[in-house]
Amino acid sequence: MTDPRAVAAAVTTGVGYLLDHQDPDGAWTEWLLPPGSSPEWTTAFVALALSEVPPRTGPSLRRRLSAAAKWLLEHQRDDGGWGYNAAVETDADTTSTTILAIRAAGRDPPDTAFRRLALHQREDGGFATFIDGIPSSWTTSHPDVTPTCVCALLAGLANEDLVQRALPRVQRDRNPDGTWNSFWWDTHLYGTWVSMSLLRHAGLPVEAGERLWSERPSTALEIALLISCLCQAVPSERGRNAVEEWTAQLLSIQRDDGSWPSAPLLRVTNMDCYDPWDRAEAGPLFADPNRLFTTAAALRALTNTTGS
């Protein structure tokens, strides 16, 4: 059995790595995509992951999360949302993650953020990442974005009709093998993780699909996502054994500086590709060079294993 002290030590050093890379103004900056780096999306994702870390890390972490929330609120756009960076239009993924990060820091997200997010819902109940610009695959419902949007709506003053239209969409998006697809990632584990997390949050139990039992991920991010998926499933002896196995693997590849190694998994999907999960080359792949995103995902996975 994995020593809980080893998990706690890994979490502590991982948190230290992320805090060492927080900007003085409270933001985190990551990625090197064609539009540049991302402070908005990265800050929201990292802050939300850190908010799930057990309180033993003390008031220093709470102050850092408060600073991140303050930075996000100060960078809300005139249309009510947030995006990848200032050069890119508002997107639903960043906006919903930001809403959740602000709420997790003990602040109230602006009502304008919820109103902006509602505009991204499509007729099929799902949410599109983008709604501005020329219609393309980027402006259709995305299985790895819709669940986070619904979680954000559930966290605030939401129109219940939006949620009731979206939940069936998430359930319909599930594949026969029990997983969900990812539009923006070269791994189905991201879409599966956010979908299972939503269903559990909504009080809808979900079994781990058969495909999850045969997963053999090789990258830190995929291992972390698999652990988080298994932790959302209905508890079972098989699940506990799998979580134990992959937790040990995740601990074994943590770097000496507290971070986890990154790999090119984020996909900038071609705008004319509507089913990237079925295509060999659907768009260029990118890794997080500072390892902030991967490390945040690893910390969330380890936190899930402790039941915190």
Side-chain angles (χ1 to χ4, degrees):
M1 180 176 179
T2 304
D3 187 346
R5 292 172 297 182
V7 175
V11 169
T12 297
T13 55
V15 169
Y17 180 84
L18 291 180
L19 295 186
D20 286 345
H21 286 75
Q22 187 177 24
D23 298 334
D25 60 7
W28 280 277
T29 303
E30 184 60 281
W31 304 105
L32 287 175
L33 272 58
S37 58
S38 172
E40 294 176 45
W41 180 43
T42 304
T43 299
F45 186 89
V46 172
L48 182 57
L50 284 175
S51 72
E52 299 180 15
V53 171
R56 60 175 174 268
T57 48
S60 175
L61 177 55
R62 292 195 293 272
R63 287 195 297 271
R64 297 296 194 93
L65 295 179
S66 178
K70 181 175 182 292
W71 186 90
L72 288 167
L73 286 166
E74 290 173 346
H75 287 78
Q76 185 183 22
R77 304 179 180 194
D78 292 341
D79 62 15
W82 291 265
Y84 176 81
N85 66 20
V88 180
E89 58 266 32
T90 293
D91 72 78
D93 196 23
T94 302
T95 299
S96 56
T97 305
T98 300
I99 288 172
L100 292 168
I102 292 172
R103 174 56 57 82
R107 305 283 293 270
D108 291 327
D111 290 343
T112 51
F114 293 105
R115 290 198 290 271
R116 170 65 197 199
L117 189 58
L119 297 177
H120 287 257
Q121 189 170 41
R122 307 290 83 182
E123 291 185 1
D124 62 7
F127 284 76
T129 305
F130 297 100
I131 56 174
D132 302 319
I134 300 173
S136 68
S137 64
W138 291 18
T139 61
T140 60
S141 297
H142 297 139
D144 47 348
V145 173
T146 297
T148 306
C149 294
V150 180
C151 282
L153 292 172
L154 289 172
L157 183 61
N159 184 328
E160 188 174 345
D161 178 62
L162 301 179
V163 174
Q164 293 306 315
R165 288 172 54 205
L167 280 174
R169 177 69 202 190
V170 173
Q171 293 169 312
R172 290 196 303 272
D173 279 339
R174 194 178 194 189
N175 297 315
D177 63 10
T179 65
W180 281 260
N181 296 321
S182 301
F183 183 83
W184 296 108
W185 297 89
D186 191 34
T187 173
H188 59 275
L189 289 171
Y190 189 92
T192 302
W193 162 58
V194 292
S195 298
M196 293 181 72
S197 298
L198 166 63
L199 295 179
R200 182 176 180 182
H201 182 71
L204 302 172
V206 56
E207 299 283 349
E210 191 60 34
R211 184 175 179 181
L212 290 181
W213 302 120
S214 60
E215 295 285 354
R216 306 306 300 176
S218 59
T219 70
L221 180 56
E222 288 178 297
I223 293 171
L225 291 171
L226 176 57
I227 293 172
S228 292
C229 286
L230 294 171
C231 287
Q232 304 309 314
V234 174
S236 68
E237 185 66 24
R238 190 182 188 186
R240 286 187 288 270
N241 291 337
V243 168
E244 177 74 18
E245 174 189 356
W246 290 111
T247 297
Q249 179 66 17
L250 190 61
L251 292 176
S252 73
I253 60 175
Q254 187 178 24
R255 294 164 55 113
D256 291 340
D257 61 8
S259 70
W260 274 266
S262 63
L265 288 172
L266 177 64
R267 178 175 55 223
V268 179
T269 304
N270 297 329
M271 297 182 74
D272 61 351
C273 180
Y274 291 81
D275 53 353
W277 44 85
D278 287 333
R279 305 298 177 91
E281 295 183 7
L285 304 179
F286 297 86
D288 46 330
N290 298 319
R291 304 181 299 284
L292 304 183
F293 200 97
T294 298
T295 298
L299 289 175
R300 175 184 275 116
L302 293 177
T303 298
N304 285 337
T305 68
T306 65
S308 301

